[in-house]
């Protein structure tokens, strides 16, 4: 049995192979080898719908007869989602170029490509579905994907064909499909089973009831105005938009989706939007995890110097003043020398835990480097309370070192400054470090706070 946890690179590589055979090599048989027998596709041209591999073969051969030249391609904005065991949906933009000087042709064209792919038990891969769309109106009736980008002119799809394509897309698209009328709140027009599964709804009726019949209510409240703005601006210029936002699942949790929508005309003559939704929660969460990891000191779990400085600079301009203190562990080198670096690391973690326990979550705690730490208090209400907390850090760390590493005689010295006017971090650090120097010269293991 193949591995169900397939890396993004493998699915991407298979999509790249399809593009290579189709666009670059212009190899019909090689392309068809990658398709499952029941392959379903919707292209960018009117009537360019293939139900089954043989119908796609006919479309492909007609296209190659009209446009035999190789096309260079570049895959951009790739995203994928595991739909079911051994089945994936993927989305990307594809940039195509045709360069035939002898024919007087040098054209660039972009398409949006959504595909469904599965892996067999023997490790082989097959495409099951594919949908291509374009953002511009440059395709004439009778053209075959991607011949449309060679010629100029536009011919809008008629209502009858639109309705047929909508019905096919709703049933066959690998991503979720949802549609709403272009009216206040986007009254629900259509939703496919894949979309209901993504959001964990048991039926269309339950989904419609939960969102009170309005698609806008399926979007996270904090994202609704942004989505309405993006859609309105895009539709003012054309008939297609693209946006990412959080969608609400039935249980109230969030689902990040990449939404590509296009305006259409329904059978009763009303304007509506049909949207294809791809679940990108995995990618968004992975990006957030990487961003969080980049902000944290790996040993202590506190913010690192860069992240601490960034947050201090942002908080510095809030009203109510601030207090900034530097904490330096005295004789810390002896902890490492006498007890080993493993115990030295433990001492740093214990001290970080002490800081986390003593101060509020809103206070900015970070490791400046080595055995030096910083803390920033925004708009402190009572300087006396903060000084008492800082002194408790001195006492508690001394008790901790006497218990675990008594021969090192390690303690903590704290020097800080407070003020009202915003300062550069470099100035804030320099002045607090000068106060810390006073503490060190006076015997260490103490707290000294001065006005800035």
């Amino acid at each position: 049995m193949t591995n169900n946890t397939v890396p993004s690179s493998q699915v991407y590589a298979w999509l790249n192979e399809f593009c290579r055979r189709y666009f670059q090599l212009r190899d019909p048989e090689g392309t068809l080898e990658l398709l499952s027998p029941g392959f379903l596709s919707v292209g960018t041209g009117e009537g360019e719908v293939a139900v089954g591999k043989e119908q796609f073969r006919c479309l492909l051969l007609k296209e190659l007869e009209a446009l035999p030249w190789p096309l260079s391609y570049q895959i951009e904005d790739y995203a994928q989602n595991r739909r079911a065991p051994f089945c994936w949906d993927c989305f990307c933009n594809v940039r195509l170029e045709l360069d035939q000087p002898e024919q007087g042709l040098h054209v660039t064209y972009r398409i949006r490509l959504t595909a469904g792919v599965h892996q067999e038990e023997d490790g082989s891969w097959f495409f099951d579905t594919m949908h291509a769309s374009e953002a511009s109106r440059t395709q004439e009736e009778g053209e075959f994907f991607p011949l449309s980008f060679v010629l100029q002119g536009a011919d809008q799809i008629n209502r009858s064909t639109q309705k047929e394509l909508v019905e096919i897309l709703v049933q066959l698209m690998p991503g979720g499909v949802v549609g709403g009328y272009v009216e206040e709140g986007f009254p629900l027009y259509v939703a496919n089973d894949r979309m209901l599964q993504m959001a964990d709804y048991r039926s269309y009726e339950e989904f419609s009831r939960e969102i009170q019949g309005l698609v806008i209510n399926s979007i996270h409240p904090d994202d609704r105005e942004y989505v309405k703005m993006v859609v309105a601006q895009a539709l003012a210029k054309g008939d297609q938009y693209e946006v990412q936002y959080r969608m609400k699942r039935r249980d109230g949790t969030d689902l990040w989706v990449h939404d590509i929508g296009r305006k259409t005309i329904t059978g009763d003559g009303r304007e509506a939007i049909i949207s294809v939704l791809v679940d990108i929660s995995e990618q968004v969460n992975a990006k957030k995890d990487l961003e969080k990891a980049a902000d944290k000191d790996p040993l202590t779990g506190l913010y690192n110097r860069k992240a601490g400085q960034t947050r201090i600079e942002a908080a510095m301009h809030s009203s109510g003043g601030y207090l900034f203190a530097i904490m330096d562990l005295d004789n810390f080198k002896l902890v490492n020398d006498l007890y080993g670096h493993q115990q030295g690391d433990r001492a740093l973690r214990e001290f970080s835990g002490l800081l986390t326990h003593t101060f509020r979550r809103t206070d900015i705690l970070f490791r400046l480097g080595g055995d030096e730490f910083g803390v920033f208090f925004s708009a402190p209400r009572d300087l006396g309370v903060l000084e008492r907390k800082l002194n408790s850090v001195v006492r508690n760390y001394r008790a901790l070192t006497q218990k675990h590493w008594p021969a090192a005689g390690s303690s903590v010295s704290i020097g800080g400054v407070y003020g009202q006017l915003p300062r550069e971090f470099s100035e804030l650090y320099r002045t607090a470090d000068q106060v810390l120097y006073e503490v060190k010269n006076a015997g260490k293991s103490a707290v000294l706070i001065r006005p800035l």
Side-chain angles (χ1 to χ4, degrees):
M1 178 66 68
T2 54
N3 186 357
N4 191 26
T5 57
V6 173
S8 300
S9 58
Q10 290 185 286
V11 182
Y12 174 88
W14 200 242
L15 181 67
N16 185 66
E17 179 61 19
F18 174 87
C19 292
R20 189 180 74 88
R21 297 186 188 187
Y22 187 5
F23 299 125
Q24 184 176 327
L25 300 181
R26 307 302 272 161
D27 176 8
E29 295 307 317
T31 301
L32 292 167
E33 288 176 358
L34 308 181
L35 311 182
S36 63
F39 178 72
L40 303 168
S41 73
V42 178
T44 58
E46 181 176 356
E48 193 180 339
V49 177
V51 180
K53 189 172 179 179
E54 289 307 309
Q55 286 190 15
F56 185 78
R57 178 196 296 272
C58 293
L59 289 174
L60 180 56
L61 293 177
K62 288 180 181 179
E63 175 195 320
L64 293 177
E65 182 179 352
L67 186 68
W69 304 294
L71 309 170
S72 61
Y73 69 92
Q74 183 174 346
I75 298 174
E76 302 171 342
D77 305 321
Y78 176 80
Q80 74 174 51
N81 179 63
R82 188 172 70 89
R83 176 179 4 125
F86 312 107
C87 297
W88 291 265
D89 299 325
C90 52
F91 162 82
C92 66
N93 291 310
V94 182
R95 183 175 184 273
L96 300 170
E97 288 190 4
L98 173 64
D99 190 8
Q100 289 292 315
E102 63 275 12
Q103 304 294 328
L105 295 175
H106 180 81
V107 186
T108 299
Y109 179 65
R110 292 179 182 273
I111 62 170
R112 295 180 171 96
L113 191 65
T114 305
V117 60
H118 77 273
Q119 187 181 28
E120 298 283 352
E121 291 189 2
D122 62 1
S124 57
W125 296 73
F126 293 99
F127 283 99
D128 303 306
T129 59
M130 193 162 291
H131 171 235
S133 65
E134 62 168 340
S136 60
R137 298 184 180 186
T138 58
Q139 187 159 348
E140 295 188 0
E141 183 177 356
E143 288 183 349
F144 292 93
F145 163 71
L147 175 61
S148 57
F149 72 90
V150 178
L151 306 175
Q152 298 297 319
D155 186 4
Q156 296 187 26
I157 299 175
N158 61 51
R159 292 185 183 181
S160 173
T161 303
Q162 279 190 333
K163 185 174 184 297
E164 293 174 6
L165 288 178
V166 168
E167 292 175 353
I168 293 172
L169 283 172
V170 167
Q171 297 301 321
L172 305 181
M173 279 299 299
V177 175
V178 65
Y181 294 104
V182 186
E183 300 165 11
E184 183 64 30
F186 304 107
L188 182 63
Y189 167 49
V190 69
N192 71 345
D193 290 341
R194 172 62 183 142
M195 199 288 299
L196 298 175
Q197 293 169 5
M198 285 169 57
D200 198 30
Y201 286 99
R202 290 166 289 200
S203 67
Y204 178 90
E205 291 72 22
E206 181 185 47
F207 174 63
S208 179
R209 184 171 59 252
E210 183 68 23
I211 66 172
Q212 300 177 329
L214 299 176
V215 175
I216 195 67
N217 291 335
S218 69
I219 299 172
H220 191 287
D222 293 344
D223 296 344
R224 290 173 188 172
E225 291 303 317
Y226 169 71
V227 172
K228 287 195 293 185
M229 178 190 70
V230 170
V231 172
Q233 290 178 349
L235 296 187
K237 300 176 182 178
D239 61 0
Q240 187 160 316
Y241 70 87
E242 188 170 348
V243 64
Q244 294 182 0
Y245 56 85
R246 290 166 293 177
M247 185 178 182
K248 301 298 293 182
R249 291 190 181 93
R250 182 170 62 92
D251 62 4
T253 58
D254 296 333
L255 170 74
W256 275 98
V257 296
H258 187 106
D259 177 345
I260 299 177
R262 170 165 284 189
K263 188 164 64 175
T264 185
I265 303 297
T266 64
D268 57 3
R270 296 165 68 184
E271 289 188 340
I273 294 173
I274 302 296
S275 300
V276 177
L277 309 180
V278 177
D279 183 356
I280 59 170
S281 302
E282 183 178 344
Q283 293 91 325
V284 171
N285 292 331
K287 181 180 179 181
K288 288 182 178 179
D289 289 342
L290 287 173
E291 290 173 348
K292 288 180 180 178
D295 283 346
K296 294 299 179 71
D297 172 60
L299 178 62
T300 65
L302 301 179
Y303 288 125
N304 56 34
R305 183 187 183 110
K306 181 180 179 181
Q309 178 177 338
T310 299
R311 283 160 176 77
I312 288 173
E313 289 171 344
M316 179 67 71
H317 296 281
S318 64
S319 61
Y322 52 85
L323 187 153
F324 173 65
I326 300 175
M327 297 167 280
D328 184 75
L329 304 186
D330 309 314
N331 301 331
F332 183 75
K333 184 175 183 299
L334 287 177
V335 178
N336 284 322
D337 291 345
L338 297 176
Y339 296 93
H341 286 278
Q342 187 174 11
Q343 286 299 305
D345 289 348
R346 178 190 172 190
L348 293 173
R349 288 193 295 268
E350 293 277 3
F351 181 71
S352 302
L354 177 60
L355 297 180
T356 304
H357 178 75
T358 304
F359 301 110
R360 303 170 303 176
R361 290 187 178 182
T362 53
D363 300 328
I364 301 172
L365 299 168
F366 61 109
R367 185 182 180 191
L368 283 160
D371 56 6
E372 193 173 68
F373 296 78
V375 59
F376 182 89
F377 308 97
S378 181
R381 295 182 180 180
D382 190 332
L383 293 177
V385 171
L386 294 183
E387 285 198 63
R388 287 193 290 274
K389 284 189 174 184
L390 291 170
N391 275 295
S392 73
V393 170
V394 173
R395 292 193 304 272
N396 291 332
Y397 180 69
R398 185 187 300 126
L400 187 69
T401 57
Q402 288 175 350
K403 178 180 178 181
H404 297 291
W405 313 284
S410 181
S411 60
V412 58
S413 296
I414 303 176
V417 291
Y418 63 90
Q420 294 287 331
L421 298 177
R423 308 277 181 163
E424 294 292 332
F425 179 79
S426 58
E427 181 183 359
L428 198 64
Y429 178 85
R430 184 177 66 255
T431 51
D433 191 51
Q434 290 170 355
V435 179
L436 177 63
Y437 184 74
E438 293 183 48
V439 177
K440 292 279 194 178
N441 281 345
K444 304 178 181 179
S445 191
V447 176
L448 180 60
I449 306 295
R450 292 196 183 282
L452 185 62

